[in-house]
Amino acid sequence: MSSPERDGPELIMEDGRPYRNPTEVKMSQIVLPCHANHRKELSVGQLLKWMDSTACLSAERHAGRPCVTASVDDIHFERTIDVGQVVNIKAKVNRAFNSSMEVGIVVSCEDLYTNSHWKVCQAFATFVARSSGNEKVYLKQLVPQTHREQVEYSVAAERRRMRLVHADIMTDLLNSTSFQSAVSEDICEGQDEEEVIPTERTRVESVELVLPPHANHQVNTFGGQIMAWMENVATIAASRLSNAHPTLRSIDMFHFRGPSQVGDRLILKAIVNNTFKNSMEVGVCAEAYHGEEPLRHINSAFMIFEVLDENGVPRSLPPIRPEPQDGERRYREAIARKKIRLDRKYIISCKHTEMPLSVPWDTSNQVYLSYNNVFALKMLAAKNKWVLSSKKNNVKLFTLEENQTLSVRVESEVKVPAARAFLLLSDHSRRCEWDKHYKQCELIVRVDDDDLIYRVVTPSVSEGGKVQDFILLASRRPPCDSGDPYVVALRSVSLPTHPATDEFNRGEVICAGFTIYEVSQSVCKINYFNQTNPGVLPYISTDIAGLSSSFCSTFLSCSQFLLENRTTRCVLSNVAL
Ligand code: COA
Ligand code: ADP
């Protein structure tokens, strides 16, 4: 079993001590019967409380002031934890933005008798630093020290982007006509009335009084405490549906909309929104009131439960009959959330080398595909085993061989301001002007200002063979902060409107693109990356083998293009910066 606690240090300080991230906070707890549920497993609510307080202390360590939980990304609980085992929680700030910070949390479990360790879950929470008045706090920036910290720092910016559009994705999917027609027929269709469970039976309402132990020293209720109360009512709703003790498998990304304080009464309401074959979605809503004040909406969360049989296999669950109006709406929304959850889980968390190359693109998964696109390029750029394989006219070619994949990186400096180079290189329809491999490049979908889908035609890889075409998602990101590079990421997607045809060989790009760093006001360093596959390897293998230097001539032609357009007003054909 892996041992998360025993990973060697990545960095040794000058005095010989192993480096420790200054924001890192660790908590270890032995699971006692009072922390456990009926199956003698640690209750997820208790775990959430420990995770939240560890993460909050890490955020406060960086901020030097009180912090509150703003949101928590999806959490998938891979394993349960038994009474007697030890839970180890590690939290550290990955990146500070303005007033908010992303905190990464890793939970592992330790069995004292067998001396084994295993990972239980990981989570990303956003904490916001509060001032004593109402003014916004501006946090000091974090300077990543180790390679791992640099990677987390870099992708935290992309995760933040995804989090902030979370609510819109759901609204867009629900409003899409294709989704509406797909689910409208679904409610209780063809179900045997005897087996159908009316959801009213699962409705729960419960009240909690917020006392000082539930709050921090600023009297704000801990987010983890609210999550624990929400988990409690959700578990009751799930048990009422299944007449069994359910297991919480995952919690969707959620946002604390407003604060709660000591003295608040919290009303927690839960109901089963929908059942899928082996799982159910329970929705929970938390509202607060104080004296005669009106109810304040604090949080809504959606939790997925399973009911395991004696062999640990999820049992099939009965269909439900939702209540008219709100119940039917929530039933449909649960289907939408399931789709979004699966997209997020598989597109975000899968390593790009393990997932199918051309993931079908659609509006509801585009945010995750863009995330995956930028994430993959940042991960490739962050690899530290690049080997210089040739150098010509200050253009360097590096290679990286890893897990049976070969990647190339071409690096050069150009006397063009970084922002200008970014503007020009992110307009792919102009790439034909400098890259002989781009015979044609047509914009086919403008997803938003920063994400565009192109169809690119490239020459045949063999003499007399078919020309190739690629459907490429291009995602561009200006720096989030000084020190960040400009990023232009490319990966293949598939589009039903542009299927492969007999006329062309459909090629696929796993991960490619540019990073552009500012060297000075007038000079930038450009890196071009390409993770090869059989479709693109023939274009570069002769270079890598030292048989040609077309990479150098392509890059020189790219530099020439950038220099020529250095000052002329460049009207981007499709992109507004
Ligand atoms: N996920 C992650 N971060 C979010 C977010 C979300 N869903 N919504 C807002 N934020 C971030 C913003 O990006 C911003 O970050 P930045 O300052 O680094 O740019 C920060 O929160 C503040 O945003 P702002 O627009 O100034 O305020 P807001 O009106 O959106 O309020 C909260 C955001 C989190 C402060 C507010 O919703 C709140 O007080 N929630 C309750 C927090 C709490 O008390 N939690 C404990 C349990 S009740
Ligand atoms: P909505 O009602 O629009 O679905 P809310 O944020 O109000 O969204 O509620 C979130 C979830 O909490 C709902 O999907 C539902 O599962 C549950 N919920 C909301 N109100 C109640 C209620 N009165 N009784 C039981 N459960 C509720």
Side-chain angles (χ1 to χ4, degrees), residues 69-71 97-100 128 130 136 160 255-259:
T69 323
S71 71
F97 300 100
N98 300 305
S99 64
S100 68
V128 173
R130 306 318 307 253
K136 189 169 170 115
R160 174 179 192 248
H255 168 47
F256 284 101
R257 294 159 189 246

Side-chain angles (χ1 to χ4, degrees), residues 329-345:
R329 172 181 55 78
R330 289 172 185 149
Y331 178 100
R332 280 193 294 275
E333 288 175 358
I335 299 173
R337 272 187 295 271
K338 184 174 184 200
K339 184 208 175 314
I340 291 171
R341 185 180 309 125
L342 289 177
D343 285 346
R344 261 207 306 270
K345 185 168 173 190

Side-chain angles (χ1 to χ4, degrees), residues 322-556:
E323 293 170 303
Q325 296 175 356
D326 273 352
E328 287 178 357
R329 172 181 55 78
R330 289 172 185 149
Y331 178 100
R332 280 193 294 275
E333 288 175 358
I335 299 173
R337 272 187 295 271
K338 184 174 184 200
K339 184 208 175 314
I340 291 171
R341 185 180 309 125
L342 289 177
D343 285 346
R344 261 207 306 270
K345 185 168 173 190
Y346 290 104
I347 299 176
I348 291 176
S349 57
C350 286
K351 293 196 178 93
H352 58 285
T353 45
E354 287 172 5
M355 64 195 275
L357 285 186
S358 293
V359 174
W361 180 90
D362 72 50
T363 43
S364 67
N365 71 14
Q366 61 98 356
V367 173
Y368 314 125
L369 272 175
S370 301
Y371 168 86
N372 183 277
N373 195 12
V374 176
F375 176 82
L377 185 67
K378 286 186 169 184
M379 295 305 278
L380 186 61
K383 297 267 157 97
N384 50 13
K385 290 191 182 138
W386 289 99
V387 176
L388 181 63
S389 90
S390 52
K391 181 176 170 189
K392 201 158 182 254
N393 299 341
N394 278 326
V395 182
K396 294 179 193 159
L397 175 71
F398 297 84
T399 54
L400 173 77
E401 286 180 62
E402 215 179 35
N403 304 329
Q404 303 179 337
T405 61
L406 172 68
S407 304
V408 293
R409 168 157 79 91
V410 185
E411 180 191 291
S412 188
E413 282 191 4
V414 186
K415 284 198 179 118
V416 174
R420 187 80 185 153
F422 173 64
L423 201 70
L424 291 161
L425 291 177
S426 59
D427 185 3
H428 293 275
S429 48
R430 294 194 68 182
R431 187 152 161 183
C432 310
E433 293 179 40
W434 58 269
D435 187 349
K436 67 176 179 356
H437 297 120
Y438 269 49
K439 289 283 175 226
Q440 268 177 41
C441 181
E442 170 205 357
L443 175 72
I444 48 182
V445 181
R446 185 195 168 89
V447 181
D448 56 36
D449 283 352
D450 290 333
D451 296 275
L452 298 103
I453 302 179
Y454 295 91
R455 177 170 173 266
V456 175
V457 177
T458 65
S460 159
V461 286
S462 59
E463 220 167 288
K466 279 190 204 171
V467 286
Q468 294 209 100
D469 71 346
F470 295 82
I471 305 295
L472 298 180
L473 169 66
S475 307
R476 31 181 261 134
R477 303 286 183 264
C480 189
D481 224 300
S482 59
D484 275 346
Y486 292 85
V487 173
V488 181
L490 290 162
R491 61 156 294 146
S492 284
V493 289
S494 65
L495 276 184
T497 49
H498 289 73
T501 59
D502 287 345
E503 210 184 323
F504 297 91
N505 269 338
R506 174 59 54 87
E508 291 192 313
V509 169
I510 309 172
C511 169
F514 300 92
T515 62
I516 305 160
Y517 281 92
E518 187 172 281
V519 175
S520 68
Q521 274 194 336
S522 56
V523 179
C524 67
K525 182 158 85 184
I526 301 178
N527 273 292
Y528 170 72
F529 295 88
N530 199 319
Q531 184 173 348
T532 63
N533 61 27
V536 288
L537 190 61
Y539 294 122
I540 40 186
S541 55
T542 51
D543 282 330
I544 297 168
L547 301 176
S548 84
S549 56
S550 79
F551 76 90
C552 179
S553 53
T554 306
F555 220 85
L556 291 177

Side-chain angles (χ1 to χ4, degrees), residues 203-204 269-271 273 283-285 297 300 302 329-330 333:
R203 187 189 290 279
V204 186
K269 295 176 192 158
I271 195 163
N273 285 336
V284 203
C285 176
H297 189 180
S300 291
F302 300 94
R329 172 181 55 78
R330 289 172 185 149
E333 288 175 358

